[in-house]
Amino acid sequence: MTEATHDAATSMDKMYRYTRHVYDASRKYYLLGRDGLLKQITDDVAQAGRRVRLVEVGCGTGRNLIALQRLLDKRGLGGQAQLFGVDAASVMIDTARKSVDRRNLSDKVTLTQGLAQYLSPGMLGIKDRRDEGWADLVFFSYSLSMIPPWKDSVAAALRAVGPGGAVRVVDFYDQAKLPAPFAWTLKRWLATFHVHYRPELVEHLNELRVAGDVRLDFEEVLRRYAYRAKLTRLA
């Protein structure tokens, strides 16, 4: 582990050492659009018509992966997906593992500590020699806005899925259609948790589309409170 990697992991552990215990209860009120993303991913699995490999980057407490497995089970797709989660904070992974174990899902959900920009099959314990195309879909749920090397993380996710694979994102947008005082207060409050809306991130996704690297499907959520994006890799 490099010094930079160690520092990043340590910083995340300090941030979530105590708040991880109330994370899900507090975040459900403002991490909006997550469940819509999970429904879209469930549709992706149904349309694939084969067993697929899904990876959540920044999986936190495992909330999304557990909810996704439930959705898949309800639609009779539980056996068609392998779920993996990675998070920079080892304390979050510990919490996620306990939640997964309590629901008897440890055989369906694999969790590991690691940094987004270094995403690889080896990190997740996957025996796959391919450098790219080893995953079918990678998704970020309100995590890219917290990752300093976000551009490298997007690139790593696109490498992981390879041509034809997809990367899905839900995150904070610019709140441009919301009352200005509300938007200002929200951004100030989120900054205390090291969460920042990055207009350059959305611009980068569009640049990838213009360059012909991806097909970009983009939608606003709740008057630009958030956005959902799907990047399908073309080359």
Side-chain angles (χ1 to χ4, degrees):
M1 180 181 289
T2 66
E3 183 175 350
T5 298
H6 179 270
D7 289 346
T10 300
S11 176
M12 296 301 287
D13 278 346
K14 287 181 179 178
M15 183 188 304
Y16 291 120
R17 179 166 291 118
Y18 303 110
T19 58
R20 61 187 165 130
H21 301 297
V22 296
Y23 187 91
D24 289 338
S26 62
R27 266 57 176 181
K28 69 179 181 179
Y29 297 108
Y30 64 89
L31 297 187
L32 309 178
R34 293 182 298 173
D35 291 338
L37 178 72
L38 298 181
K39 290 177 181 177
Q40 291 174 336
I41 294 172
T42 303
D43 289 338
D44 291 339
V45 174
Q47 293 169 11
R50 58 178 175 79
R51 187 168 173 79
V52 296
R53 188 177 285 163
L54 311 179
V55 182
E56 180 180 13
V57 178
C59 65
T61 63
R63 180 264 185 194
N64 290 333
L65 292 169
I66 291 169
L68 178 57
Q69 185 62 55
R70 285 175 176 168
L71 285 174
L72 292 169
D73 289 339
K74 285 181 179 179
R75 292 185 57 178
L77 301 168
Q80 286 189 215
Q82 294 175 287
L83 305 186
F84 296 85
V86 59
D87 199 280
S90 62
V91 294
M92 278 296 209
I93 291 298
D94 289 342
T95 296
R97 285 198 179 112
K98 291 176 182 177
S99 295
V100 166
D101 288 345
R102 279 199 305 271
R103 294 164 176 81
N104 297 314
L105 295 175
S106 57
D107 60 330
K108 297 181 178 180
V109 180
T110 301
L111 301 161
T112 191
Q113 188 273 337
L115 299 185
Q117 65 269 33
Y118 302 128
L119 185 65
S120 68
M123 174 191 291
L124 299 173
I126 297 172
K127 295 181 180 179
D128 196 321
R129 295 183 178 180
R130 291 175 292 177
D131 292 328
E132 60 179 78
W134 53 268
D136 296 285
L137 185 143
V138 174
F139 66 102
F140 299 83
S141 175
Y142 285 97
S143 56
L144 270 180
S145 54
M146 297 187 69
I147 299 174
W150 57 265
K151 187 177 290 188
D152 290 339
S153 299
V154 171
L158 287 172
R159 282 195 303 272
V161 299
V167 174
R168 283 190 177 273
V169 180
V170 61
D171 218 318
F172 292 105
Y173 203 6
D174 58 13
Q175 292 92 50
K177 296 181 181 179
L178 293 171
F182 174 84
W184 182 85
T185 301
L186 175 66
K187 290 176 180 178
R188 294 268 296 188
W189 182 66
L190 291 174
T192 64
F193 298 99
H194 304 280
V195 178
H196 306 279
Y197 163 62
R198 294 188 172 103
E200 64 271 24
L201 195 161
V202 176
E203 292 170 4
H204 179 63
L205 301 185
N206 193 54
E207 288 170 356
L208 291 173
R209 178 192 64 81
V210 172
D213 297 329
V214 303
R215 183 179 73 244
L216 176 62
D217 298 297
F218 190 93
E219 61 177 320
E220 300 173 3
V221 176
L222 297 172
R223 301 176 64 186
R224 297 174 73 112
Y225 177 91
Y227 70 88
R228 282 193 293 259
K230 179 182 181 182
L231 294 84
T232 303
R233 184 172 164 184
L234 300 178

